Amino acid sequence: MSSTSSSVLRSDQIWLDGKMVKWDEGQVHVMTHALHYGLGCFEGIRAYRTHDGRLAIFRLQEHIDRLFDSAHICMMKMPFTREQVAEACVELLRAQKEQFANGAYLRPIVFMGDGAMGLGAINPTRVSITAWDWGAYLGDKGIREGIRAKVSSFTRMHVNVNMVRGKITGQYVNSILAKREAVLGGYDEAILLDISGFVAEASGENLFLVNKKGAIKTPPLSSPILDGITRDSVLKILRDSGREVEEVTVTRDALYICNEVFFTGTAAEITPVREVDDRTVGTGKPGPITQYVQETYFRAVRGLEPRYSEWLTYI
């Protein structure tokens, strides 16, 4: 059992270009093209300990499909099939599943390797998969009580500036700057608007709100947002419960006067937002819709919701 710090477990091995190597041998050259120009794509995938003690990867195929779609958008030729990359995720955890008592976070990444330099270079595509134990991204307290968010001074890039269907490495500089601004200002997370001033998403999460009439809304995929897999799961959970969800644009002040706001994402899972721009959201506590989504989601990922059993790939 190894650790990146005294409190974070990580796998002893990395899947790199088709074979397992020791963690410390998972290296790339300083002339790697992606390091200089940001051309790569990645996924974040969680594996959970289920109620019966097994380890299960959440919506593995959907994540692999999005990874390959992202590579296609970036015109990067994949050296492995979808099946090979999915099996590599399973293989990596299967070999070390006992050490991930609390589950694991998988990070497949595809990037242009070293060789030629310059913006027009086309080098071989490299693929790596790592795993570590990553707890609640916005904190356990944030999951329970909600977080404080701030509308960022940074704007989410226009759909003709970035490829919004792709989870592309270089594009996350926009998110990093927004996140740092928010944290330095004393907040937990940033909310970015699109170029028209409508709410897009958080730095690494999709957003839902419940207004005072009980209407549930989330920005549409025509906005510059990632087509989140957790977002899709939440849409299904809500609609399966008989609730309607409107995929529509919303203004920032709609967040100030609604009853509930919550973020969704692989890392953040289902995180309530108790405050936006120093304005209390609703009662300042997770609301009933947020609590329902949280409860159902966590039951599903732990194998306690048979209707969502297809979301789980058991190791």
Side-chain angles (χ1 to χ4, degrees):
M1 187 178 297
S2 306
S3 63
T4 53
S5 71
S6 60
S7 60
V8 180
L9 300 176
R10 46 87 163 167
S11 59
D12 295 320
Q13 294 180 305
I14 289 173
W15 191 88
L16 179 62
D17 297 326
K19 61 182 180 181
M20 293 289 187
V21 301
K22 293 179 180 179
W23 180 280
D24 293 337
E25 296 174 4
Q27 301 173 359
V28 297
H29 198 275
V30 71
M31 291 299 288
T32 295
H33 191 278
L35 179 62
H36 294 257
Y37 301 114
L39 185 60
C41 45
F42 69 98
E43 282 296 322
I45 312 173
R46 279 197 186 270
Y48 290 88
R49 280 288 173 188
T50 58
H51 69 100
D52 56 4
R54 292 186 288 171
L55 196 63
I57 303 175
F58 181 67
R59 301 196 70 172
L60 174 61
Q61 193 57 56
E62 289 87 345
H63 282 284
I64 298 303
D65 286 343
R66 189 172 64 183
L67 181 69
F68 274 72
D69 287 347
S70 297
H72 181 68
I73 288 169
C74 293
M75 302 180 73
M76 299 175 67
K77 184 176 177 59
M78 290 290 289
F80 303 97
T81 66
R82 294 170 192 247
E83 292 74 21
Q84 286 174 317
V85 176
E87 179 54 35
C89 291
V90 173
E91 179 186 356
L92 182 64
L93 290 187
R94 182 184 292 131
Q96 301 164 97
K97 63 182 180 180
E98 296 305 322
Q99 75 183 56
F100 290 116
N102 300 314
Y105 183 92
L106 286 159
R107 171 54 57 83
I109 185 168
V110 175
F111 57 97
M112 186 181 287
D114 57 299
M117 292 298 285
L119 299 180
I122 301 177
N123 298 333
T125 302
R126 303 193 65 182
V127 184
S128 175
I129 306 169
T130 54
W132 67 93
D133 180 0
W134 202 3
Y137 178 63
L138 293 169
D140 291 330
K141 184 177 180 181
I143 290 280
R144 294 191 310 270
E145 300 178 11
I147 63 166
R148 300 178 68 237
K150 178 70 174 176
V151 172
S152 180
S153 70
F154 293 93
T155 300
R156 182 58 87 213
M157 293 174 284
H158 186 267
V159 294
N160 281 337
V161 173
N162 67 341
M163 302 288 101
V164 297
R165 293 288 82 80
K167 195 172 175 69
I168 299 167
T169 57
Q171 294 179 171
Y172 275 78
V173 172
N174 181 237
S175 292
I176 290 169
L177 293 173
K179 176 79 173 184
R180 287 185 177 178
E181 177 186 59
V183 171
L184 288 172
Y187 302 88
D188 301 301
E189 185 55 287
I191 296 172
L192 291 94
L193 308 180
D194 65 22
I195 63 167
S196 298
F198 293 106
V199 174
E201 58 186 353
S203 71
E205 304 88 22
N206 294 119
L207 178 148
F208 286 76
L209 68 87
V210 183
N211 70 15
K212 289 184 176 179
K213 295 181 179 179
I216 307 169
K217 301 183 180 184
T218 190
L221 294 181
S222 56
S223 298
I225 67 172
L226 187 69
D227 185 1
I229 291 168
T230 307
R231 173 187 183 275
D232 179 73
S233 303
V234 169
L235 286 171
K236 183 166 179 57
I237 286 170
L238 287 167
R239 288 167 176 164
D240 284 351
S241 72
R243 296 175 172 91
E244 294 185 5
V245 185
E246 301 175 47
E247 298 182 63
V248 294
T249 55
V250 296
T251 58
R252 64 191 291 179
D253 53 2
L255 302 179
Y256 302 160
I257 58 174
C258 67
N259 284 345
E260 303 179 46
V261 176
F262 61 90
F263 293 150
T264 65
T266 295
E269 299 166 304
I270 314 299
T271 299
V273 179
R274 72 174 191 271
E275 186 180 299
V276 177
D277 287 349
D278 303 302
R279 296 161 174 88
T280 300
V281 175
T283 63
K285 299 179 180 179
I289 300 298
T290 305
Q291 292 178 49
Y292 173 79
V293 171
Q294 275 188 331
E295 180 182 351
T296 307
Y297 175 82
F298 284 119
R299 283 180 57 83
V301 299
R302 294 190 173 98
L304 292 168
E305 288 286 346
R307 57 184 166 166
Y308 303 128
S309 60
E310 72 276 6
W311 287 350
L312 302 180
T313 298
Y314 286 91
I315 305 302

